Short mmCIF file of all heavy atoms in Angstrom, two decimals:
data_model
loop_
_atom_site.label_atom_id
_atom_site.label_comp_id
_atom_site.label_asym_id
_atom_site.label_seq_id
_atom_site.Cartn_x
_atom_site.Cartn_y
_atom_site.Cartn_z
N LEU A 158 99.72 102.49 82.67
CA LEU A 158 98.93 101.71 83.64
C LEU A 158 98.99 100.22 83.28
O LEU A 158 99.07 99.37 84.17
CB LEU A 158 97.48 102.20 83.69
CG LEU A 158 97.28 103.47 84.52
CD1 LEU A 158 95.90 104.08 84.25
CD2 LEU A 158 97.45 103.17 86.00
N GLU A 159 98.99 99.91 81.99
CA GLU A 159 99.15 98.52 81.55
C GLU A 159 100.53 98.00 81.95
O GLU A 159 100.66 96.87 82.44
CB GLU A 159 98.95 98.40 80.04
CG GLU A 159 97.52 98.61 79.60
CD GLU A 159 97.35 98.64 78.08
OE1 GLU A 159 98.33 98.36 77.35
OE2 GLU A 159 96.24 98.96 77.63
N ARG A 160 101.56 98.82 81.76
CA ARG A 160 102.92 98.42 82.15
C ARG A 160 103.02 98.20 83.67
O ARG A 160 103.65 97.25 84.12
CB ARG A 160 103.94 99.47 81.74
CG ARG A 160 104.18 99.54 80.25
CD ARG A 160 105.23 100.57 79.95
NE ARG A 160 105.37 100.79 78.52
CZ ARG A 160 106.19 101.65 77.99
NH1 ARG A 160 106.98 102.39 78.76
NH2 ARG A 160 106.25 101.80 76.69
N ALA A 161 102.39 99.10 84.43
CA ALA A 161 102.42 98.97 85.89
C ALA A 161 101.73 97.68 86.33
O ALA A 161 102.20 97.02 87.26
CB ALA A 161 101.75 100.18 86.53
N ALA A 162 100.65 97.32 85.65
CA ALA A 162 99.92 96.10 85.99
C ALA A 162 100.79 94.86 85.77
O ALA A 162 100.64 93.87 86.47
CB ALA A 162 98.64 96.00 85.16
N GLU A 163 101.71 94.92 84.82
CA GLU A 163 102.59 93.79 84.50
C GLU A 163 103.91 93.82 85.27
O GLU A 163 104.62 92.83 85.30
CB GLU A 163 102.88 93.78 83.00
CG GLU A 163 101.64 93.57 82.15
CD GLU A 163 101.89 93.80 80.66
OE1 GLU A 163 103.04 94.14 80.29
OE2 GLU A 163 100.93 93.65 79.89
N SER A 164 104.20 94.95 85.89
CA SER A 164 105.48 95.11 86.58
C SER A 164 105.43 94.53 87.99
O SER A 164 104.47 94.78 88.73
CB SER A 164 105.82 96.60 86.66
OG SER A 164 106.87 96.83 87.57
N PRO A 165 106.48 93.80 88.41
CA PRO A 165 106.53 93.30 89.79
C PRO A 165 106.49 94.43 90.81
O PRO A 165 105.97 94.27 91.91
CB PRO A 165 107.86 92.55 89.86
CG PRO A 165 108.21 92.25 88.44
CD PRO A 165 107.61 93.34 87.61
N ALA A 166 107.03 95.60 90.45
CA ALA A 166 107.04 96.75 91.36
C ALA A 166 105.70 97.46 91.38
O ALA A 166 105.44 98.29 92.27
CB ALA A 166 108.14 97.72 90.96
N GLY A 167 104.84 97.19 90.39
CA GLY A 167 103.52 97.80 90.35
C GLY A 167 103.51 99.25 89.92
O GLY A 167 102.58 99.99 90.20
N ARG A 168 104.56 99.65 89.21
CA ARG A 168 104.60 101.05 88.76
C ARG A 168 105.33 101.17 87.43
O ARG A 168 106.07 100.28 87.01
CB ARG A 168 105.24 101.94 89.80
CG ARG A 168 106.66 101.59 90.11
CD ARG A 168 107.18 102.45 91.23
NE ARG A 168 108.57 102.21 91.46
CZ ARG A 168 109.12 102.09 92.64
NH1 ARG A 168 108.39 102.23 93.71
NH2 ARG A 168 110.40 101.87 92.75
N SER A 169 105.12 102.32 86.78
CA SER A 169 105.78 102.64 85.53
C SER A 169 105.88 104.15 85.45
O SER A 169 105.03 104.87 85.98
CB SER A 169 104.97 102.09 84.34
OG SER A 169 105.62 102.39 83.12
N ARG A 189 99.96 100.89 90.62
CA ARG A 189 98.83 99.99 90.93
C ARG A 189 98.36 100.28 92.33
O ARG A 189 99.15 100.68 93.20
CB ARG A 189 99.27 98.53 90.86
CG ARG A 189 99.35 97.97 89.48
CD ARG A 189 99.45 96.45 89.49
NE ARG A 189 100.16 95.91 90.63
CZ ARG A 189 101.18 95.08 90.57
NH1 ARG A 189 101.62 94.65 89.42
NH2 ARG A 189 101.77 94.65 91.65
N THR A 192 100.45 100.18 95.85
CA THR A 192 101.89 100.38 95.69
C THR A 192 102.24 101.84 96.00
O THR A 192 101.35 102.69 96.09
CB THR A 192 102.38 100.02 94.27
OG1 THR A 192 101.74 100.87 93.33
CG2 THR A 192 102.08 98.56 93.95
#
Side-chain angles (χ1 to χ4, degrees):
L158 281 166
E159 289 174 8
R160 289 182 187 179
E163 297 170 359
S164 167
R168 62 184 185 223
S169 180
R189 281 194 328 233
T192 62

